[in-house]
Each structure stands twice: as structure tokens, then as C-alpha cells.
Amino acid sequence: MRRLLFVVLLCAAVLLFASVEDSIVQVGRTLEKNGINEVRYAVWGTGDPNSVLRVLGIVEAARRINDIWAKNNINVKVIIRETRYELDFTQMYQEFLSKQPLGTAGDFLVNSYVYIAPLAEEGYLLDLTPYLEKHKELLDDFFASHIEVAKYKGRIYGLPQDTEARPFYIRKDIAAKVGLDLHGLDQKVLKGEFTWFDVYEWAKKTVQLGASQWGLIHRRGSAHPDLMQFILAFGSKLYDPADGKLVFDKEAIYKWLTIEWVFAREKLLPSDMMAWDWAKQVHPAIVDGKTLFDIGGTWYWTEWQTKDYYTDPKTGQMRGLKPEEVEQWFYYTLFPAGEPGKKPVTLSQPFMWMVSSKAGAQNPKYSALKSTYDELAFLIVAKASDPEINAIHSIISAHLPVGKASAALLANKEWLDKLYNLQIDLDPSVKEKIAGIVKATVNPINAKFLSDVSYMLDHTNFPPIHPMYAKLAAIFAEVVDYVLRGQMDPAKAIDYAIGKINADLDLKASVKIINEIPKDWRFAGK
């Protein structure tokens, strides 16, 4: 039955791109007729080290388009002149924001969907709606919720590239040392029977017993989006669709900051956590067993296998973990409820293929052929969404697939075996660049992990699609740092954040402040 379903989905995938292929042929002939034999684009992408297909997927899509043109005797080639891939997606967004008006930014941007709103508002993104209306069959394969978050003011500005959940990781070996029974714990978390009150108690016990150096490690830098889960876990929200405003809930934010404050004061969490280096401090602390709990993402699962974060006690050398070690050491659940009576959460931040509204501007006859260059750019991201490309990205980066056909491929052992042996039709340069990651990550253990965490999408939330959200998130990051370092208590940090919001008239008009700091709420007896 499974094999039959797989065949049906593959057939559907072939049909899916038939009409896209017709458009590719038509665009190629238009370019050739106008004397264009070479089209150059640049792709900018961002993310964790294993997510390189965010840019290499565009390279592979270009190859597939070139193959279609060659098959139809069309003498035109797409060349990806620049593949730029960096870790810091906020910095990449800022650079695109500043260089796009000058025409010097990437033609494609692969980044979080939260940047669609501010970029579309400025007119910096190509509206993909008319192309998707022409190729409605392309939308059928995507999960509908991911298309919804690609919209701004009713128009579609991106195609989903991946998504994820944010598991709450627990070291199994440390839990065993302190007597934390993990059997069925994910169900207790799901029912709201294991909350951040319990996380605190076990973190405290762990550090007091010397079972690990820290009770909790979380991500550095921006408070977006990992730490925003606290607001949701205390039953609040980030955005009110009724009036289109961002929400600043003083009660929920106070409770979140109180947890940060208490954990840091009791040395359960580093007070300089927001300044920790991703590769040199955050991940080595987790994989070396220096913390019981970690707020992370699904992508951690394979990043730990491909990056040398772990110091092998036998050799003293740093290396990546084996899939069997990751499975042996790490338990995962939803992000626990903030307090009894609340619900667990997770948060997804789908990455999108976005196209610059000036895509192809550096090619000949741009003014006359702008509509053709625009359509070709859309067709490239459409081909980059081929199920096989998306499935490879999912398994090597531990991100969840965004389409039904790619999800089916992940469940196909025969296909996984072919991928492990690189018996997949890919551009040689792409195959060479992902070969090491493929060998380390294409494993039934990792496929099972993706299957295990997929239920979390039933409990997921999305950051607001609002042009001012990035500004608000930056303020949150600032006050979390102040609270962790002990420079402000949670109440003073709330006042400081409100002052920053009110000082920015655009932000002030976009944010609704609700509720009050609770006078009788206590966490850990504080």
C-alpha cells in the first residue's frame, strides 16, 4: 500500500511540473528570440550549516531548467553567478534591505517568512501571485498553512522552503543521574502536567547534585523566535488579527523574564547566555553534557552529527556525534506550559524562497525583458521546490518537509538508500558540496526523528507577519540580556521595553499593550 502511495505521489509530482516545464520552454524561446543566450542570477541564503540546499537548491533548479532547454534545442543557459550562504539571518535581511534599492542584492533571498511583510511593504519582493494563479497545481502539494504565512495583504510573496518545530531537548544520561523519569514524559508535557515549574525544580536539583554544570541552555542573540515561546506558553499571543496590532502582554512577558531572572541568579543558566557563540559555546555545552535542558530546534539533531562540537573523552579530539549517540543521549518533547493550567507549545518559522522585484536586473535588455526575467526567476524557485530537492534538504538538515510528495520520499527506504550512495540525479557541484553531510545524516534514525516530531506541528504557532515585528523582537532580546545579567529586574525591564516602544512612533502605533504585572504571582518562591 505504501509503495502504491509512493508511486501515485511520484506520478503526481511528474504531472505537477508538466505545465511548469511548458512555461520554462516558452520563456527560453522568448529569451533566445531576443538574442539572450545566458542569464545570470545570484542567490543569498541563510541558516544553520546543514541547510546549504537553501542556496544549492537554486543551483540545482538552474541545472534542471538548462536540461529542459537543451532537450528542446533552446540555446540559453541559466548561470548562478553567486551563492552566498551565512549563519546570521537577521544580518542577511538587513543587507538585502539596504542593497535591494541599489540593485546589488541577491536576485533570490532564502530567509524567514517574517521578513516578507517589511520587504513586500517596501516593494522589494516580486509578487508571485499571478504566476501561482497560472500554475495552480503547484500549490496543491504544499501544506496550506505554509502558503498562508507566505501572504502579505492577500498576495503571495514566497514559496515554502522548509519548516520546523522547536523541541525541548533533555539529556537522557543526566536525567537518569538525578532520577528524572522520562518514560511518558512527552505525554505529561502534552497534557500540561509537566510545566516550567517542574523544569526549574529538576534544573536546580541537577546543578546542586553536580550532575551537570547548567540546568538550561538556550539560544544566544535575538529573542526571536525561540524565546517567544514563553509568551505563548503562558497563554498569551504575539499578534491580534482583530486590529492588526502586535501584542505586548505585560503579564506573560513578566513571567517569562522572571524565569530568565531566577535561572540566571541561581546559576542554572549562564548570565551571559545572550552573548554565547553558536559553534564555540552553545552547541559544545549541549553535546558535551553540560546541561540537562536545552531550548532548540529540529535542525540541531543533524547539525550535531555534522559539526565538530563534541569533545571525545577517549581521544580528546572534537568530532560530530553519530546518529546512534544522538538517539541515545537526547529526549525531546514540546516546549512545556509556562505554569499549571496552561498548554505546551512549539513555534515554526518557515523559510521561504523569495524573489527580488529587481531579479535579473544585471542581465542584457533588462528593461525590455523584465517580465520574462521575472517569470524565469519564479520558474527557478518552482523547480527548486521539486519534491526530491525538498526531501534531501529535510533529511540532511532535520527540517520538516513542506510538501506531501517530499514527505512521502522520506518514508521510502529505497530512496533513502539511493540518496546515501548519492545515486541521485543532481548537479555534480551540488553533489560534491553535500556529500559529507549526506554520509553523516542519511540514516533511518534521523528519518524516524523527523517522523516522531511531526506531531508538534499540530501545536505550532507562527510569529506575526507584521512589518514592525522585527523591531519588537529586538527590544525583547535587549531586555532578556539585561535581566540575565542582573542589570534590570523583570519589572524594570518591562518599563524599559515600554519606554523603547513609545519612543518609536511607528512602533508605538503598531503595538497594543495589555494586562498588568501580576502582584501575587510567584515562581520558585520568588
Side-chain angles (χ1 to χ4, degrees), residues 374-392:
D374 285 347
E375 184 170 4
L376 177 57
F378 164 78
L379 293 168
I380 290 173
V381 296
K383 288 301 290 176
S385 303
D386 273 359
E388 192 171 61
I389 298 176
N390 187 246
I392 296 171

Side-chain angles (χ1 to χ4, degrees), residues 47-265:
D48 60 279
N50 283 17
S51 294
V52 289
L53 273 177
R54 286 175 179 162
V55 292
L56 297 180
I58 293 291
V59 174
E60 174 59 20
R63 183 191 73 93
R64 294 183 180 201
I65 287 175
N66 289 339
D67 285 350
I68 292 170
W69 283 343
K71 186 176 68 178
N72 287 275
N73 299 313
I74 297 171
N75 184 28
V76 183
K77 281 191 174 180
V78 177
I79 293 176
I80 304 303
R81 60 180 171 83
E82 179 187 13
T83 54
R84 182 176 167 189
Y85 187 73
E86 296 181 2
L87 180 66
D88 190 330
F89 57 81
T90 302
Q91 183 177 329
M92 176 69 81
Y93 158 71
Q94 292 291 350
E95 190 168 348
F96 185 88
L97 191 66
S98 64
K99 290 188 175 179
Q100 201 276 357
L102 306 175
T104 55
D107 300 290
F108 304 100
L109 176 67
V110 192
N111 209 325
S112 165
Y113 84 98
V114 299
Y115 297 127
I116 283 180
L119 292 174
E121 182 69 24
E122 295 293 338
Y124 293 168
L125 295 182
L126 183 67
D127 179 0
L128 305 183
T129 312
Y131 307 108
L132 291 167
E133 288 174 345
K134 182 179 178 181
H135 300 292
K136 288 183 178 178
E137 72 280 7
L138 188 62
L139 292 177
D140 292 341
D141 187 58
F142 290 109
F143 298 115
S145 60
H146 297 146
I147 293 297
E148 282 303 308
V149 297
K151 292 180 180 176
Y152 181 65
K153 294 184 176 178
R155 311 295 289 180
I156 302 173
Y157 288 95
L159 281 184
Q161 193 271 332
D162 72 23
T163 191
E164 78 287 298
R166 286 175 161 71
F168 187 68
Y169 291 105
I170 306 173
R171 281 286 300 221
K172 294 179 181 177
D173 49 346
I174 299 172
K177 288 180 182 176
V178 298
L180 173 56
D181 183 5
L182 298 179
H183 180 71
L185 184 67
D186 55 344
Q187 292 302 306
K188 289 183 179 178
V189 171
L190 189 60
K191 295 174 183 175
E193 297 172 354
F194 185 93
T195 72
W196 272 89
F197 283 50
D198 301 289
V199 172
Y200 165 75
E201 294 296 340
W202 285 107
K204 183 178 179 181
K205 185 175 183 179
T206 298
V207 173
Q208 286 178 341
L209 292 176
S212 69
Q213 182 177 358
W214 305 106
L216 172 70
I217 293 292
H218 64 56
R219 199 168 171 180
R220 57 151 291 182
S222 168
H224 163 78
D226 303 52
L227 302 182
M228 298 299 189
Q229 292 178 108
F230 278 111
I231 296 175
L232 304 167
F234 279 110
S236 190
K237 56 188 176 182
L238 305 171
Y239 175 75
D240 188 347
D243 54 17
K245 289 195 173 186
L246 299 169
V247 174
F248 186 97
D249 186 332
K250 293 170 71 174
E251 178 178 341
I253 295 166
Y254 174 80
K255 291 178 177 178
W256 161 26
L257 296 180
T258 298
I259 289 177
E260 304 272 7
W261 169 268
V262 169
F263 269 68
R265 299 289 75 72

Side-chain angles (χ1 to χ4, degrees), residues 188-481:
K188 289 183 179 178
V189 171
L190 189 60
K191 295 174 183 175
E193 297 172 354
F194 185 93
T195 72
W196 272 89
F197 283 50
D198 301 289
V199 172
Y200 165 75
E201 294 296 340
W202 285 107
K204 183 178 179 181
K205 185 175 183 179
T206 298
V207 173
Q208 286 178 341
L209 292 176
S212 69
Q213 182 177 358
W214 305 106
L216 172 70
I217 293 292
H218 64 56
R219 199 168 171 180
R220 57 151 291 182
S222 168
H224 163 78
D226 303 52
L227 302 182
M228 298 299 189
Q229 292 178 108
F230 278 111
I231 296 175
L232 304 167
F234 279 110
S236 190
K237 56 188 176 182
L238 305 171
Y239 175 75
D240 188 347
D243 54 17
K245 289 195 173 186
L246 299 169
V247 174
F248 186 97
D249 186 332
K250 293 170 71 174
E251 178 178 341
I253 295 166
Y254 174 80
K255 291 178 177 178
W256 161 26
L257 296 180
T258 298
I259 289 177
E260 304 272 7
W261 169 268
V262 169
F263 269 68
R265 299 289 75 72
E266 298 191 18
K267 301 188 185 305
L268 309 180
L269 170 69
S271 60
D272 60 349
M273 186 75 255
M274 298 296 276
W276 272 32
D277 184 88
W278 175 273
K280 296 179 181 176
Q281 292 175 284
V282 173
H283 286 290
I286 301 167
V287 300
D288 284 343
K290 294 181 178 178
T291 181
L292 173 62
F293 299 116
D294 171 55
I295 300 172
T298 53
W299 64 93
Y300 280 22
W301 190 263
T302 53
E303 185 172 340
W304 292 332
Q305 297 171 39
T306 57
K307 305 301 291 183
D308 294 338
Y309 295 146
Y310 175 63
T311 302
D312 191 319
K314 294 180 180 177
T315 66
Q317 300 296 311
M318 296 188 75
R319 63 170 172 84
L321 297 180
K322 301 171 184 175
E324 293 78 9
E325 290 173 327
V326 180
E327 183 183 48
Q328 178 185 347
W329 290 343
F330 290 97
Y331 187 86
Y332 40 85
T333 78
L334 284 165
F335 188 93
E339 58 189 337
K342 297 296 192 302
K343 296 179 179 178
V345 299
T346 192
L347 188 143
S348 298
Q349 180 184 219
F351 266 52
M352 295 284 166
W353 306 108
M354 292 176 260
V355 180
S356 167
S357 56
K358 292 183 177 178
Q362 297 185 17
N363 286 295
K365 300 182 181 178
Y366 174 70
S367 297
L369 294 173
K370 181 180 186 318
S371 62
T372 303
Y373 287 128
D374 285 347
E375 184 170 4
L376 177 57
F378 164 78
L379 293 168
I380 290 173
V381 296
K383 288 301 290 176
S385 303
D386 273 359
E388 192 171 61
I389 298 176
N390 187 246
I392 296 171
H393 171 74
S394 293
I395 190 70
I396 69 174
S397 71
H399 283 87
L400 300 174
V402 292
K404 304 175 188 72
S406 52
L409 280 172
L410 289 177
N412 186 280
K413 185 178 183 306
E414 183 179 349
W415 181 81
L416 286 174
D417 289 343
K418 286 185 177 177
L419 175 59
Y420 180 80
N421 292 303
L422 286 174
Q423 296 171 340
I424 300 286
D425 182 27
L426 288 175
D427 184 273
S429 67
V430 173
K431 193 177 287 191
E432 180 182 353
K433 288 174 181 173
I434 67 172
I437 305 175
V438 164
K439 288 297 179 187
T441 59
V442 177
N443 186 295
I445 289 175
N446 297 336
K448 180 179 181 300
F449 168 75
L450 290 173
S451 174
D452 286 350
V453 298
S454 61
Y455 82 97
M456 294 183 181
L457 293 181
D458 293 335
H459 306 272
T460 198
N461 301 267
F462 297 99
I465 306 175
H466 193 291
M468 291 289 112
Y469 178 63
K471 276 190 175 181
L472 183 61
I475 293 174
F476 282 135
E478 195 176 352
V479 296
V480 167
D481 190 38

